[in-house]
Amino acid sequence: MAKTTGQVAQFPSQAVSDSEKKTSEYGLKVARAIEQDWFNKDRGNGRYFQARDEYHRLRLYARGEQSIGKYKDEFAINGDLSYLNLDWKPVPIIPKFIDIVVNGMQDRLFSVTAFAQDTIATGKRTKFVENIQRDLAAKEILAQLEAEVGVNARNVPEKDLPANTEELELYMQLNYKQGIEIAQEQAIDNIFLRNKYNELKRRLDYDLAVLGISAAKHTFNNTDGIVLDYVDPANLIWSYTEDPNFEDCYYFGEVKKIKVNELKKQFPNLDNEQIYELTKKGSNYTSYNDISDYNNNYEDDYNTLTVLYFNWKTWENDVYKIKETSSGASKAIEKDDSFDPPKDKRTRFQKVAQTREVVYEGVFILGTDIVLKWEKANNMIRPKSNANKVIMNYIVSAPRLYKGNVTSLVSKMTPYADLIQLTHLKLQQAIQRMTPSGVYIDADGLAEIDLGNGTSYNPQEALNMYFQTGSIIGRSLTVDGDPNQGKVPIQELPGGGGNQIQVLIAAYNQYLQMIRDITGLNEARDGSDPDPKALVGVQKLAAANSNTATRHILHSSMFITLSLAEAISLRFKDVLNYHPQKEGFISALGKFAVGSLEELKDLHLHDFGIFLELEPDEEEKALLENNIQVALSQGSIFLEDAIDVRNTHNTKLANQLLKFRRIKKQQADQAQAQAASVAQAEAQGQAQIQIEQAKAQAEQIKTESKIQIQSTTAELDIKKLEVEARTKKQLMQFEFDLNVKLKQLELEAQKELVEKQNRSKEKISINKVQGPPRTEKPKKSFESKGNDVLGGFDLSRFEPK
């Protein structure tokens, strides 16, 4: 952007009463000062027109549509171009580099993170951490209590319990999320989605690369809710600042060209005469200052006005009269800042005042003395941490701002883009002026050639032979024997312009390399001309260095996104706190945050810190993926752990999570190995027990078999004895019967013997002379011998025998 002349506009003093600041006269003074600061051409200033023309020039270069007038002046001779037949279309070199930067920024995805930092949320977070620490301290006791009594006294499930304090910190950063924080993140994402922020961000990033400055605006209305708008830097005005993020600016403005019917919609109280007067003055101002479209595709008529919409930041005093009532209580009465109670001890009231920033909104018709609107803004947003501070509606960032001057990538490339275009035109001219390669024919040399048949060939025959065969015939000596100066009668002449073209091509490549050098956008960034001899790591390093060269643009884009997210957070909180249709906003958000509707109702009670988690670039992803693959190949982590690490956007936290998961995997492997060892020992013991049991069972079976055999043998013996006893009993009975009979016979025999003896005595007495009597043999005994033993028990001792 062109430098300013150093003239300072006379702004009205802000050290005036609040009532004076509210007047239209004060607003007109502010509007005139802004007009003098930015639009006054007669005073040699015209910052707005210089910036607008510069931005228009840069945008044309970024599109490859820059003016070709300067190039024609280089080639014209006294303004005459009639002898040139060149293609004047610019070479689109710069668009390629701009697309590389902007499209690369679109690939860097991000997520909005809300961190509740109020007392309520901090208390919940602290209590959660304390509960986990208690579980960690009483881990063994809780396990013993759960095993013996069966009571679960844990605050956190055992599977989710961190192993140590470091893992607890990582757990709090990755996994702990309060419902109110989730609700806030979903609300911000919803607002971004409804405003199509992806498209808006693409325009903002393009402006940062092309113009070096980008601007957005956030507002609120009852119809559309929270609205995010793109602001063209060519139409933006601001107070002087040296802050790249414009945070100390006390006014912003936006110049718009509107039609009369649009003006009537915005301000329906204007009558026809006022509109006519505004149109007349505004049209004259537009014509004088040339505030029109850059290409002048249509002529402005009297129905077009140039309007300045601006915000002015100042302060106001909240003054209250504290009065003591008769009952001894205090009563606060609002007063203006002119209230000045007397300094008397007997006075029963006092003044209490507080100063805070406020924003006034104004609408000014350039070229007139009419301010259509001057009032304090209705929807000012303030951070909860500092209620006296106000946040402006405009968010602007220019990463390379110095002394009011803005530089960009395109502004660095334009000098070399002009040289490339001139080289391209000279190359066309050199190619047009090139002459074809000719042939030199030495007629004297041809005249000295005799073909040997009495004839000699003429120049035409020599040319035919040369062009058909590439051979020629020559004589080193003349007919007289002298050296022939034309012994090579035909020679090729070089064409003109070859060396010049090579010089121009080298110059073209040199200027292209200069663009790469000053911007840092090397060949490795887009892979257009990779070095086949360079290693892959070297190529990646070159691409990473190129990303570093343009990282300030990415940071500026992230600042705008973060500032918009913070503004949405504050506005949404105010909507839920003060707006009468807050239930409607909650319902509209319900389809995006069904599980957080209850938390949303209390969202205004919380204070949030908003952060952006930028996803890692390809180089960072490659390094992280390499670590994951190494861990997987070594079996240090599970596949589920790799998925969790890849889903962590912060590479530092991702690597830390990978480290803890490796430690957990090692602990799990050790526990598993120990459990396997114990199980193996138990299995071996169980197998030994089973072997012993099998042996005991075999012995038992063997013993039982023996017992069974013995029992069977005993039974058989008993049965044998029973049979034997029964048989012997029968035998003994039979023997007894025989013995009885025998006894009877014996008795009878004895009796008979006695009788015989008696008779014999009688005979003896009779026959003494006849000699002694004959004695008969005893009868045979029927007593059993050896058969009256039963089972080794002798029964022979019992009678009868």
Side-chain angles (χ1 to χ4, degrees), residues 187 274 459 529 545 635 715 783:
Q274 291 175 330
D529 188 19
N545 292 335
E715 290 179 357
E783 178 68 26

Side-chain angles (χ1 to χ4, degrees), residues 594-630:
V594 177
S596 305
L597 293 181
E598 294 298 327
E599 287 81 359
L600 283 174
K601 295 180 180 179
D602 298 329
L603 186 142
H604 64 280
L605 301 176
H606 296 268
D607 187 23
F608 296 94
I610 307 299
F611 305 95
L612 289 184
E613 287 190 357
L614 191 64
E615 290 193 358
D617 56 17
E618 295 302 324
E619 183 69 17
E620 295 171 338
K621 287 182 180 179
L623 293 175
L624 179 60
E625 184 63 27
N626 183 43
N627 295 336
I628 294 174
Q629 293 300 327
V630 171

Side-chain angles (χ1 to χ4, degrees), residues 147-213:
E148 296 180 357
V149 184
V151 177
N152 185 5
R154 301 179 185 274
N155 296 306
V156 179
E158 185 178 5
K159 62 182 182 64
D160 297 332
L161 184 66
N164 49 43
T165 305
E166 294 182 358
E167 188 175 354
L168 174 59
E169 294 178 357
L170 182 63
Y171 176 84
M172 294 298 296
Q173 294 183 57
L174 293 177
N175 300 328
Y176 180 78
K177 205 73 176 174
Q178 297 186 23
I180 195 65
E181 295 174 340
I182 298 175
Q184 180 74 342
E185 293 173 1
Q186 291 175 336
I188 295 174
D189 291 338
N190 177 29
I191 300 300
F192 276 147
L193 182 62
R194 290 173 55 185
N195 286 274
K196 299 180 180 178
Y197 184 68
N198 289 335
E199 298 296 328
L200 176 60
K201 184 177 181 299
R202 186 175 291 107
R203 299 180 69 182
L204 298 175
D205 295 344
Y206 187 80
D207 285 346
L208 283 172
V210 176
L211 309 179
I213 183 174

Side-chain angles (χ1 to χ4, degrees), residues 704-722:
E704 289 178 354
S705 299
K706 290 181 179 180
I707 294 172
Q708 188 175 5
I709 292 172
Q710 291 177 358
S711 175
T712 305
T713 304
E715 290 179 357
L716 292 175
D717 291 341
I718 292 172
K719 289 182 179 181
K720 180 180 179 181
L721 290 174
E722 288 177 352

Side-chain angles (χ1 to χ4, degrees), residues 74 84 86 165 188 201 211 214 230 250 276 347 350 500 508 512 533 557 572 582 616 625 674 786 795:
E74 291 285 340
L84 293 179
L86 302 177
T165 305
I188 295 174
K201 184 177 181 299
L211 309 179
S214 185
Y230 165 80
Y250 60 90
Y276 175 76
T347 304
Q350 60 180 347
Q500 185 179 6
Y508 185 97
L512 184 60
K533 298 182 180 180
S557 175
F572 197 80
K582 63 179 181 180
E625 184 63 27
Q674 185 176 1
L795 298 177

Side-chain angles (χ1 to χ4, degrees), residues 197-259:
Y197 184 68
N198 289 335
E199 298 296 328
L200 176 60
K201 184 177 181 299
R202 186 175 291 107
R203 299 180 69 182
L204 298 175
D205 295 344
Y206 187 80
D207 285 346
L208 283 172
V210 176
L211 309 179
I213 183 174
S214 185
K217 183 180 180 182
H218 54 88
T219 56
F220 174 82
N221 59 68
N222 294 330
T223 303
D224 301 322
I226 301 174
V227 180
L228 307 179
D229 289 320
Y230 165 80
V231 178
D232 189 348
N235 297 328
L236 183 68
I237 61 174
W238 62 87
S239 61
Y240 180 80
T241 181
E242 294 186 9
D243 183 5
N245 297 326
F246 294 73
E247 292 184 336
D248 59 350
C249 290
Y250 60 90
Y251 76 80
F252 285 102
E254 190 175 1
V255 179
K256 294 183 179 180
K257 289 181 60 178
I258 62 175
K259 297 295 182 180

Side-chain angles (χ1 to χ4, degrees), residues 200-337:
L200 176 60
K201 184 177 181 299
R202 186 175 291 107
R203 299 180 69 182
L204 298 175
D205 295 344
Y206 187 80
D207 285 346
L208 283 172
V210 176
L211 309 179
I213 183 174
S214 185
K217 183 180 180 182
H218 54 88
T219 56
F220 174 82
N221 59 68
N222 294 330
T223 303
D224 301 322
I226 301 174
V227 180
L228 307 179
D229 289 320
Y230 165 80
V231 178
D232 189 348
N235 297 328
L236 183 68
I237 61 174
W238 62 87
S239 61
Y240 180 80
T241 181
E242 294 186 9
D243 183 5
N245 297 326
F246 294 73
E247 292 184 336
D248 59 350
C249 290
Y250 60 90
Y251 76 80
F252 285 102
E254 190 175 1
V255 179
K256 294 183 179 180
K257 289 181 60 178
I258 62 175
K259 297 295 182 180
V260 174
N261 56 344
E262 185 66 25
L263 183 67
K264 183 66 175 178
K265 291 179 182 179
Q266 297 181 16
F267 303 97
N269 296 329
L270 294 176
D271 56 26
N272 294 335
E273 293 183 0
Q274 291 175 330
I275 292 177
Y276 175 76
E277 188 67 22
L278 292 175
T279 304
K280 183 178 179 181
K281 293 182 179 180
S283 299
N284 291 336
Y285 182 84
T286 301
S287 176
Y288 169 72
N289 286 287
D290 190 24
I291 303 179
S292 59
D293 286 353
Y294 299 129
N295 293 329
N296 294 320
N297 292 329
Y298 66 91
E299 294 182 359
D300 295 322
D301 53 20
Y302 287 103
N303 292 322
T304 303
L305 293 173
T306 305
V307 182
L308 172 64
Y309 297 84
F310 64 96
N311 290 348
W312 169 268
K313 182 167 70 173
T314 181
W315 71 82
E316 70 174 5
N317 298 310
D318 290 337
V319 180
Y320 292 91
K321 174 183 177 182
I322 307 300
K323 181 179 180 181
E324 184 180 350
T325 62
S326 58
S327 62
S330 298
K331 180 180 180 181
I333 303 174
E334 187 176 2
K335 294 289 185 178
D336 58 18
D337 59 345

